[in-house]
Amino acid sequence: MKDKLAQSLADTFNRRSFLNKASWGLGSLALGSLLPSQIFSNPAERIETVPHRAPKAKRVVYLFQSGGPSQLEMFDYKPYLEKMHGKDLPESVRKGQRLTSMSAQQSALPLVSSPYTFRQYGKSGAWASELVPYTGKIADDLCFIKSMYTEQINHDPALTFFQTGNQLAGRPSIGSWVSYGLGSANENLPAFIVMVSKDAPRDQPLYARLWGNGFLPSKHQGVQFRSGSDPVLYLNNPNGYSSADRRSMLDALKDLNQVQEELYGDPEVSNHIAQYEMAFRMQTSVPEVTDLSDEPDWVFDLYGEEARNPGTYAANCLMARRLLERDVKFVQLYHQGWDLHGNLPKGLPKQCKATDQASAALVQDLKQRGLLDDTVVIWGGEFGRTNYSQGKLTKDNYGRDHHPRCFTMWMAGGGVKPGITYGETDEFGYNIVKNPVHVHDFQATLLHLLGIDHEKLTYEFQGRRFRLTDVEGKLVKGILA
């Protein structure tokens, strides 16, 4: 069949077509003799061998809290705001910094203290509020970074910046970069898997491009797992179609693709072949990994009752552990609903109740299974919230606007120093006063934990070498174990 197809395609070229294409080919050869030979090679073959150093971590789970969680209600305790509650944000603190269009027209920016009780946890003495008691209990396993900052003040560019290293869409996602640099340790599952909570409020949209491969080969894009009978779309065979039928179809399709690859030399064809083969193997591996019937009751007690409900945040955290056990390189969870411009006292407790127990359980579960030492766990959003109220401040209601100048994330495991708080904000919780950490610094440090030098993991596209951290990023040595 392969020979017949090649002959059929060859017959479509007549003498005139041959001479025309040959002239272009001769011109290309002449030009090629004047240029360095390496520019015609596959850029994927020219990257430096990775990992560049001995890695501390083998895998990553990123618990992304989409919408901008309020650090002031959960982790960044500011007792001074209790004294200043209701008073206007001083210009000496704001320093003319940019505001969003949602609060820029307010006649006043009244400061708001958190109504929730804070306490210190563990030997590290880390602060956490009553909204996140489970996270507080594992404080000695965590590294709180309270001095994160970004230049992006709106959701879409800020989220895109965290996930791809650039505020404009089109760049490869962080999981795709890890897949490209390190490959897969499990031939039956993708290296990069994504899950989105089905039970979260849909306040800010999520796009598949956030886990897309950008200009990297398509085999490095994230694969989304969903709840229900079809965790991966179009993976199951149609009714009346057997695995033998699927295997026969893939063999024929592989022959067709290989002919196309030989004729045109398109490297993306081989990626398509690899993806089809992965999908075939996933018909067996996905049902096995998504079947929770072998999990004992104590595991569901650890993650919370919602872990029995597929697609919830708790269930996705449990699924993440199962994927990490099978050496999936990068697992990303998205949980929406943190964009609380108003009615924060009602919305934030719900968000914390849906995520706090399961987030802490994942860290505990990995630790007791001996996986935390070589797995990086990340919790955080695209920016934080303001110390002033957006809109009217009342006795029992307020909201907070976007605040990119300082916010809190936490990390655990995989070479991260446990039981520390890194960075510090001022008494107003508005500006960083110690150890600022930019988004590119965070990305560079995460790659470092995986044994990757962020300046060396590059991909040539349209005549330029790109990397996740673009032309910035420095290692945050203070959080390394």
Side-chain angles (χ1 to χ4, degrees):
M1 178 179 178
K2 182 177 176 182
D3 293 338
K4 289 181 179 180
L5 178 63
Q7 182 61 46
S8 175
L9 290 171
D11 289 342
T12 64
F13 295 103
N14 56 29
R15 182 172 178 271
R16 179 177 298 175
S17 175
F18 169 76
L19 291 174
N20 183 50
K21 293 180 181 296
S23 65
W24 280 101
L26 291 172
S28 299
L29 288 172
L31 176 63
S33 66
L34 301 176
L35 297 173
S37 60
Q38 62 267 28
I39 71 167
F40 298 107
S41 61
N42 184 347
E45 297 172 353
R46 299 206 310 277
I47 66 169
E48 298 204 18
T49 302
V50 287
H52 304 114
R53 56 179 295 279
K56 293 289 186 179
K58 296 179 180 178
R59 59 193 82 82
V60 177
V61 55
Y62 194 163
L63 310 177
F64 198 90
Q65 313 302 316
S66 179
S70 176
Q71 72 282 7
L72 296 168
E73 268 74 24
M74 291 187 283
F75 303 117
D76 203 6
Y77 179 44
K78 294 300 171 187
Y80 187 68
L81 288 180
E82 296 174 10
K83 300 178 182 179
M84 298 294 291
H85 184 83
K87 297 181 180 180
D88 198 28
L89 172 66
E91 182 55 38
S92 60
V93 175
R94 181 189 162 194
K95 300 177 181 178
Q97 292 175 21
R98 178 186 179 193
L99 303 179
T100 74
S101 60
M102 292 168 284
S103 59
Q105 305 305 316
Q106 290 184 201
S107 59
L109 301 173
L111 295 167
V112 188
S113 63
S114 171
Y116 304 106
T117 301
F118 277 76
R119 55 166 286 200
Q120 290 178 284
Y121 285 87
K123 295 180 180 179
S124 63
W127 289 97
S129 83
E130 60 185 294
L131 294 179
V132 286
Y134 290 94
T135 301
K137 291 176 183 177
I138 63 165
D140 287 346
D141 292 316
L142 306 182
C143 167
F144 292 95
I145 305 175
K146 294 189 176 180
S147 53
M148 289 296 308
Y149 75 98
T150 179
E151 294 83 13
Q152 316 310 322
I153 201 170
N154 289 313
H155 293 285
D156 188 78
L159 181 53
T160 304
F161 191 57
F162 247 106
Q163 298 305 294
T164 71
N166 193 281
Q167 64 176 317
L168 300 178
R171 299 284 184 91
S173 60
I174 189 169
S176 294
W177 276 112
V178 171
S179 172
Y180 166 66
L182 298 178
S184 176
N186 186 329
E187 65 176 12
N188 297 320
L189 288 169
F192 178 22
I193 293 176
V194 175
M195 290 175 280
V196 179
S197 303
K198 72 174 186 180
D199 56 334
R202 298 295 189 263
D203 53 358
Q204 291 298 325
L206 294 174
Y207 311 97
R209 60 173 169 78
L210 294 171
W211 49 89
N213 57 293
F215 46 69
L216 291 178
S218 58
K219 65 182 178 180
H220 300 299
Q221 69 180 358
V223 175
Q224 186 177 355
F225 275 31
R226 296 165 167 83
S227 58
S229 58
D230 292 319
V232 180
L233 295 181
Y234 313 115
L235 189 64
N236 292 336
N237 293 326
N239 291 335
Y241 199 76
S242 68
S243 294
D245 294 329
R246 173 67 70 97
R247 181 67 267 169
S248 178
M249 181 272 289
L250 289 177
D251 289 341
L253 187 60
K254 182 177 181 181
D255 288 340
L256 291 171
N257 281 325
Q258 285 181 332
V259 169
Q260 186 180 25
E261 183 178 21
E262 292 169 6
L263 284 172
Y264 302 110
D266 183 358
E268 191 61 18
V269 174
S270 61
N271 289 312
H272 290 166
I273 295 173
Q275 286 172 303
Y276 285 131
E277 293 299 323
M278 170 62 77
F280 183 75
R281 296 193 296 273
M282 286 168 63
Q283 288 189 316
T284 301
S285 62
V286 169
E288 183 271 331
V289 75
T290 57
D291 180 7
L292 304 184
S293 62
D294 60 344
E295 295 288 349
D297 287 340
W298 68 263
V299 169
F300 292 106
D301 292 340
L302 179 65
Y303 285 86
E305 190 60 30
E306 280 299 295
R308 298 182 185 273
N309 183 1
T312 62
Y313 181 80
N316 287 347
C317 283
L318 175 54
M319 186 63 63
R321 189 267 288 164
R322 293 174 65 88
L323 292 169
L324 295 167
E325 280 184 309
R326 290 156 177 81
D327 283 323
V328 172
K329 192 68 66 177
F330 201 102
V331 180
Q332 178 122 28
L333 273 60
Y334 287 91
H335 188 81
Q336 298 158 279
W338 297 94
D339 191 27
L340 297 168
H341 292 273
N343 211 15
L344 187 147
K346 181 179 179 180
L348 188 60
K350 290 181 179 179
Q351 288 292 101
C352 293
K353 184 177 180 180
T355 59
D356 176 47
Q357 181 176 354
S359 298
L362 179 57
V363 174
Q364 293 173 288
D365 204 2
L366 291 171
K367 184 177 181 179
Q368 67 191 3
R369 295 170 191 272
L371 292 172
L372 186 60
D373 287 344
D374 55 8
T375 302
V376 181
V377 185
I378 307 161
W379 184 101
E382 66 266 40
F383 43 53
R385 312 305 294 195
T386 55
N387 60 0
Y388 59 80
S389 176
Q390 179 183 325
K392 187 176 181 180
L393 172 62
T394 67
K395 180 180 179 181
D396 55 5
N397 195 18
Y398 65 96
R400 296 191 189 272
D401 203 354
H402 309 163
H403 190 60
R405 298 302 304 167
C406 60
F407 55 102
T408 300
M409 295 178 63
W410 58 255
M411 301 175 69
V416 176
K417 189 179 296 184
I420 68 166
T421 294
Y422 186 85
E424 184 180 340
T425 58
D426 62 21
E427 60 186 354
F428 287 87
Y430 198 84
N431 295 300
I432 296 171
V433 296
K434 183 179 180 182
N435 294 329
V437 179
H438 188 262
V439 174
H440 282 314
D441 302 336
F442 157 74
Q443 293 164 340
T445 305
L446 175 58
L447 293 181
H448 173 84
L449 292 169
L450 293 166
I452 299 172
D453 184 331
H454 73 105
E455 294 183 345
K456 294 180 180 179
L457 183 65
T458 63
Y459 191 89
E460 188 174 317
F461 177 66
Q462 294 184 340
R464 180 193 161 187
R465 287 181 179 272
F466 287 86
R467 69 183 205 224
L468 173 63
T469 53
D470 200 42
V471 295
E472 301 178 79
K474 61 181 184 295
L475 193 62
V476 187
K477 296 181 180 179
I479 71 169
L480 302 179

